[in-house]
Structures are given as C-alpha cells and as structure tokens.
Amino acid sequence: MSKLPDFEGLAMFAKVAEERSFAGAARTLGVSVATVSRAVSRLEDRLGARLFNRTSRRLALTEIGHSLAERATRIYCEAEAAENATREMSSRPRGLIRLAVPMSFGLRWVAPLLPDFFRLYPEVAIDLHLSDAVVDLVGGGFDAALRIAVLPDSSLVARMLCPIAPLVLAAPAYLARHGQPRHPRELNGHHCLGYAYRSQRDIWRFTNGEGDEESVTPSGPLRVTNADALVPMLLEGLAIAELPEFMAAEYLADGRVAAILTDWSLPVGGLYFITPSARTRPAKVAALAEFFIQRLSEPAWRS
C-alpha cells in the first residue's frame, strides 16, 4: 500500500457524498461513472470499511462514511483553493523574479527602466543580480537573465533582443602619441586592455570585408572583470580598449574617444533574454520579457 493518502479517492468520495450520486459526482468532475466507482471502491479497500450503503434506488453514507465525509470535503476544498490561487498567480504578473544581468549593462540600461516596469506591474518584485560572470540559471535559482553573447547557451531558451557590436577605441591623446593602427597585427605594439570574462579567452578576433582574419591577444597594464574599470585608462589616453557599443556610444558622441580599425570588425554579439526552460513561463516572467522586447529591441544608444 502506498504511504501517501489516496487523495484522488478522497476527492471523489467527497464529491459522491455531496451529490449523493455516483453519476452526479462523475458529471461534476468530468469523468466517467466507472472512474468514480473504482476510486471509491479502492478507498474502501484501503480503509477496510464500507463508506456507502447502496441499493438500486438509494445511496446512503454509512456511519464511517459520515465521519470521513466532512474531512474529505475539507481536503477537496483546500486542494481546489490551492490550485485556483496558484492558477491566478501564474495567469497574472505577480511575485518575485530573480533576474541576472551583466553589471555595466544593468546599471546603464536596465536599472533606469525598472521604475516604468514597476508602474506597469506593481505586484511584481525583482531581485536583480548584477555580475559580469555567467551565472548558472538553474543552479542559482534564477527565473531569467539578460545575457550578452555571440551565441546563447543552447541548453537555455533565448530570445535575441538586439545585436551588440564591440568597438576598438582609443582617445585622441593616445593616437597623437602612439599613432593610428592600420591593421590588427599592429596592436601587438600597443597597450591594449584586457577583459577577463570574454567567452573564448581574452583574444580579439578580427575579420574584414575581404574575409581576412587576424587574432590579437591584448597585452597591457590592466585586465579587469568589469568593463567600466577600463574607461579611466581609455579616457586618459593610456591604452586601447574594446568596449560594447552600449558603453562606447556616449564617449564617441562627445569625441573623448575614436573608433579605430573601422575596416575590421570583431564578432557581433547579441543581447538575449534567457530563461531556464521551454516550459510555459509564469506571467511575471512573460511580462518582463515583453517589457524588455519593447524597450531594448530599438536601443537608445543607437540614436
């Protein structure tokens, strides 16, 4: 015998006791009369007691049936209420979302959007995890992530929001002192800052319109785990750095840096909204996904 109570049997018994009819219980539950009858008989065998006295015209609870009916009905109602409450939670945006976002992108472009999101969805809360390290969504218990990558992790469900191009940059003062590199291999003679969380080691892989390829391992006085830490060295004209366009845009706009090697390009990545599973998303996560699709598919840094 299973150590678990026969919840199905108890639920069907409670409905038969309420309807005073196997056929009535079957109609209410949307199952066959035979299914209800088997469930009640199984429960009686399990309990070793008859719950109903049956005749061709009448169905009546036994004394033991009376004593069990109230508790079984309570169990049925509690289970029904729990399902209804959960269904309501899953069908309307509410509850906590654990969201992982790269730090620089999160501070610049996600945090400023959150007031609008909370105005739209006041019953949703967000636990925002900011880190450039690639987190384990499943192991870390995250509901979703924004991830910037050349290719998304195929074990996860990813929706690309927009492409993100990396740019190689230098301050005018650096170029005045050290000259303008014309080919990626010339970077070997320059101070180039490194980023520790690059997906395929810290290598800059260039291609041009003719299909030529060149790989450079940046060598310089600073390697970081967050790209914002590269900016002071870059702006002071002490080194060349590679930054994603969402960071580079403001410095390019006011002339503090210039893009170099513009005839060459690094692999263009994408901004992805990622969830751990292909199963139906809770309404809160679906609402966040749609919000980011609307706000980040045409990103402001492009304007």
Side-chain angles (χ1 to χ4, degrees):
M1 180 187 298
S2 171
K3 292 182 179 180
L4 286 172
D6 185 354
F7 292 110
E8 182 185 59
L10 287 166
M12 291 192 176
F13 162 71
K15 195 52 69 176
V16 173
E18 178 186 336
E19 298 284 343
R20 290 295 193 271
S21 163
F22 279 80
R27 281 194 301 273
T28 301
L29 296 171
V31 297
S32 68
V33 175
T35 298
V36 176
S37 180
R38 282 195 300 270
V40 173
S41 294
R42 185 179 69 241
L43 183 62
E44 289 179 325
D45 291 342
R46 181 185 178 99
L47 299 175
R50 184 177 291 276
L51 300 174
F52 292 104
N53 287 319
R54 303 169 179 86
T55 68
S56 59
R57 296 185 177 182
R58 189 167 178 271
L59 183 70
L61 286 163
T62 64
E63 182 180 356
I64 291 177
H66 270 294
S67 67
L68 180 62
E70 182 179 349
R71 291 182 177 180
T73 299
R74 189 160 56 245
I75 291 169
Y76 178 86
C77 291
E78 286 288 335
E80 191 173 45
E83 282 194 353
N84 289 339
T86 303
R87 191 176 296 112
E88 183 183 358
M89 284 187 67
S90 67
S91 63
R92 89 177 201 229
R94 61 186 301 182
L96 177 67
I97 300 173
R98 297 198 69 230
L99 175 67
V101 180
M103 183 172 288
S104 295
F105 185 82
L107 292 173
R108 277 178 171 78
W109 298 103
V110 176
L113 295 178
L114 293 183
D116 285 347
F117 178 80
F118 291 130
R119 277 191 283 268
L120 289 170
Y121 302 104
E123 294 183 90
V124 177
I126 293 177
D127 183 349
L128 183 60
H129 177 89
L130 294 170
S131 173
D132 286 359
V134 178
V135 300
D136 178 356
L137 263 63
V138 176
F142 290 96
D143 299 293
L146 288 173
R147 188 167 291 173
I148 297 169
V150 175
L151 289 175
D153 185 336
S154 61
S155 67
L156 303 171
V157 180
R159 163 69 186 262
M160 184 171 170
L161 303 181
C162 67
I164 292 183
L167 302 172
V168 181
L169 309 166
Y174 180 91
L175 296 176
R177 282 196 301 271
H178 301 284
Q180 175 91 252
R182 301 297 178 185
H183 191 282
R185 72 171 68 97
E186 294 178 21
L187 293 175
N188 292 318
H190 287 266
H191 293 306
C192 297
L193 305 180
Y195 178 63
Y197 287 137
R198 194 177 305 278
S199 59
Q200 295 182 340
R201 297 173 49 199
D202 196 11
I203 298 175
W204 296 356
R205 304 176 191 277
F206 291 91
T207 58
N208 65 12
E210 285 72 49
D212 300 325
E213 299 181 358
E214 190 77 32
S215 294
V216 176
T217 300
S219 176
L222 180 65
R223 187 167 181 262
V224 302
T225 59
N226 179 263
D228 271 304
L230 301 175
V231 173
M233 290 281 287
L234 176 65
L235 297 183
E236 286 293 322
L238 298 176
I240 293 171
E242 180 251 297
L243 293 180
E245 58 180 311
F246 68 80
M247 289 183 63
E250 64 176 291
Y251 308 121
L252 287 167
D254 61 18
R256 283 183 286 173
V257 301
I260 63 173
L261 297 170
T262 53
D263 291 337
W264 295 77
S265 62
L266 295 167
V268 175
L271 173 66
Y272 293 89
F273 184 82
I274 296 176
T275 50
S277 169
R279 302 174 74 177
T280 303
R281 289 174 176 170
K284 60 185 179 181
V285 177
L288 184 63
E290 185 58 34
F291 178 80
F292 283 145
I293 289 168
Q294 291 177 4
R295 298 303 183 93
L296 294 174
S297 294
E298 299 286 341
W301 63 80
R302 297 261 169 84
S303 61

